[in-house]
Amino acid sequence: MKRIILAFCLLAHAFMMAQSLEFSALAENYNMSVRAIQIWQNKVYYAATDSKFGYIHLKEPTIRKQMKLSDANLQFRTLAQTDDLFYTVNIESPATFYKITKSTFTAEEVFTDTIKTAFYDAFMFDEKGRGLAISDPRKEGKPHFRIISSKNYKNEGGIMPKYQEGEAHFAASNTNIAMKGNSVWIATGGTVSRIFKFNWDKPYFWNVYNTPFVNGKSSTGIYSIDFYDEKFGIAVGGDYTKQAENINNIATTFDGGETWQIQASGKNGGYKTCVKIRPKSKGKEIIAVGDHNIEFSSDYGKTWKRISQEKNLYVCEWIDENSLVFAGKNRILKAEFKN
């Protein structure tokens, strides 16, 4: 039995060490910063700085299109999609929501949030067309968000958390929201790092779960979360002002976000802005990207290997189980896993 276990461990280690990425440029010197992407019909769609929205074909990068959603110099760090539409909203107030029709590539303003504290950090729809856009809280610590759905959810007797002073979200990669099944998770950072969770049956009743994640300053906390199913999830982040620090900046949950366990503290590549679980891996294989490197885990986030020194990339999305898109400062890259 010991020999079998040893052989298995050696095989897993060899697999992890063999993982590498082969990059190809979809767009370089693009004069924009991209923190929100979506994949649809062999194209990567992006919402970016300077009010830019567009797409690039994944197999024929010369096929591309871009438009400006506003004459103002807006920064977009959110992008969500349904079967027929894309949605995005700019950071800072006033925050204007746009919908873009997929079939015609035409945009329309649908709502403007004029509350002074509005700062939308993430926007996501699930497979049933239920959407959530999350903003930093109001001044009194009340949650600030918008639910977009064909169903009219009524806030009758809801129980909402109060944000602690200095607690908010990070508009780093449009990934501090996760959705699986009927569950929705929202990650916070700053003075505390917590997880808010609700069920779509009662979207105004939020549970609050503390985490052992790094916190205490406006720059520290959870920057990104992802869930494989309604039980297993992972959170990454750190401190963007001290990006080499790697203490308590990765955590996992196996009970749907109620409890979190720190992983690889002091043994990872530091600050991360985006984490994505590999499709068809049952949660075992995970990729995480930060400003200074890309790391990969093949054991549910317990250990990590640096697989790329690419810098200034902020967000990633799986195309399939063997390829991804990365985006960041002035460029969008496609990457293939090579063993």
Side-chain angles (χ1 to χ4, degrees):
M1 178 61 74
K2 290 183 178 179
R3 290 182 179 179
I4 294 174
I5 294 173
L6 178 60
F8 176 80
C9 292
L10 290 173
L11 181 62
H13 178 73
F15 171 79
M16 185 172 176
M17 293 301 291
Q19 292 293 298
S20 62
L21 290 174
E22 184 177 286
F23 292 92
S24 58
L26 297 175
E28 289 188 299
N29 302 316
Y30 227 41
N31 193 30
M32 63 181 181
S33 178
V34 180
R35 292 182 179 269
I37 58 176
Q38 293 285 344
I39 307 296
W40 183 66
Q41 288 193 343
N42 286 320
K43 300 181 184 75
V44 53
Y45 286 77
Y46 59 84
T49 52
D50 196 24
S51 301
K52 293 175 181 177
F53 173 85
Y55 68 76
I56 303 172
H57 200 283
L58 294 170
K59 295 182 178 179
E60 298 290 341
T62 56
I63 301 174
R64 60 182 66 192
K65 198 169 185 178
Q66 186 183 91
M67 64 177 166
K68 292 193 69 170
L69 297 177
S70 171
D71 292 331
N73 184 19
L74 302 180
Q75 289 195 48
F76 293 101
R77 298 189 182 185
T78 66
L79 184 60
Q81 68 168 316
T82 66
D83 290 342
D84 303 315
L85 301 165
F86 289 103
Y87 284 87
T88 186
V89 54
N90 62 284
I91 60 172
E92 300 178 331
S93 181
T96 301
F97 285 71
Y98 295 84
K99 70 176 181 181
I100 300 95
T101 302
K102 289 181 174 180
S103 60
T104 61
F105 198 72
T106 55
E108 176 186 352
E109 293 184 19
V110 293
F111 171 75
T112 298
D113 188 339
T114 58
I115 294 176
K116 290 184 179 180
T117 55
F119 195 103
Y120 283 88
D121 303 272
F123 200 165
M124 180 177 288
F125 283 88
D126 71 357
E127 66 278 1
K128 293 184 179 181
R130 301 173 295 194
L132 174 71
I134 190 76
S135 166
D136 286 347
R138 300 170 186 262
K139 283 186 177 180
E140 62 271 27
K142 292 182 179 179
H144 189 51
F145 61 95
R146 286 187 64 82
I147 289 175
I148 299 177
S149 174
S150 59
K151 182 177 179 179
N152 183 23
Y153 294 104
K154 295 182 180 180
N155 183 10
E156 295 179 353
I159 300 175
M160 304 299 294
K162 183 176 181 179
Y163 287 68
Q164 296 186 24
E165 185 175 354
E167 181 183 16
H169 310 285
F170 294 109
S173 61
N174 194 45
T175 55
N176 50 36
I177 301 172
M179 298 180 180
K180 285 294 177 183
N182 230 21
S183 298
V184 179
W185 299 266
I186 305 161
T188 74
T191 52
V192 293
S193 297
R194 299 192 293 177
I195 296 292
F196 302 150
K197 181 182 179 181
F198 69 81
N199 188 290
W200 278 114
D201 293 334
K202 295 182 177 181
Y204 292 96
F205 289 79
W206 292 16
N207 292 307
V208 182
Y209 302 113
N210 295 319
T211 78
F213 217 88
V214 60
N215 62 75
K217 300 191 301 181
S218 61
S219 56
T220 59
I222 301 171
Y223 280 71
S224 177
I225 55 174
D226 196 19
F227 274 74
Y228 185 78
D229 52 30
E230 291 192 80
K231 292 296 183 181
F232 177 73
I234 184 165
V236 302
D239 185 344
Y240 75 81
T241 67
K242 298 179 180 178
Q243 298 193 12
E245 292 192 359
N246 60 0
I247 304 299
N248 297 344
N249 66 316
I250 299 173
T252 56
T253 179
F254 287 87
D255 59 8
E258 294 187 23
T259 61
W260 293 80
Q261 299 78 44
I262 292 295
Q263 306 290 356
S265 184
K267 298 179 180 179
N268 67 82
Y271 165 78
K272 293 291 183 291
T273 56
C274 185
V275 64
K276 291 289 181 177
I277 298 171
R278 193 176 198 170
K280 300 181 181 180
S281 71
K282 297 184 179 180
K284 186 177 181 181
E285 297 169 25
I286 308 165
I287 200 161
V289 60
D291 291 13
H292 293 283
N293 58 65
I294 301 169
E295 292 189 287
F296 185 79
S297 173
S298 62
D299 56 5
Y300 301 99
K302 294 178 182 178
T303 61
W304 294 82
K305 177 182 181 289
R306 192 172 303 180
I307 58 174
S308 174
Q309 293 289 114
E310 290 286 340
K311 293 178 171 54
N312 298 318
L313 297 173
Y314 313 132
V315 61
C316 65
E317 187 63 75
W318 291 95
I319 303 169
D320 54 43
E321 64 268 29
N322 293 312
S323 58
L324 308 96
V325 173
F326 291 88
K329 186 178 180 180
N330 300 329
R331 58 186 181 147
I332 300 174
L333 306 178
K334 183 180 177 181
E336 302 279 348
F337 262 98
K338 302 296 180 182
N339 293 330

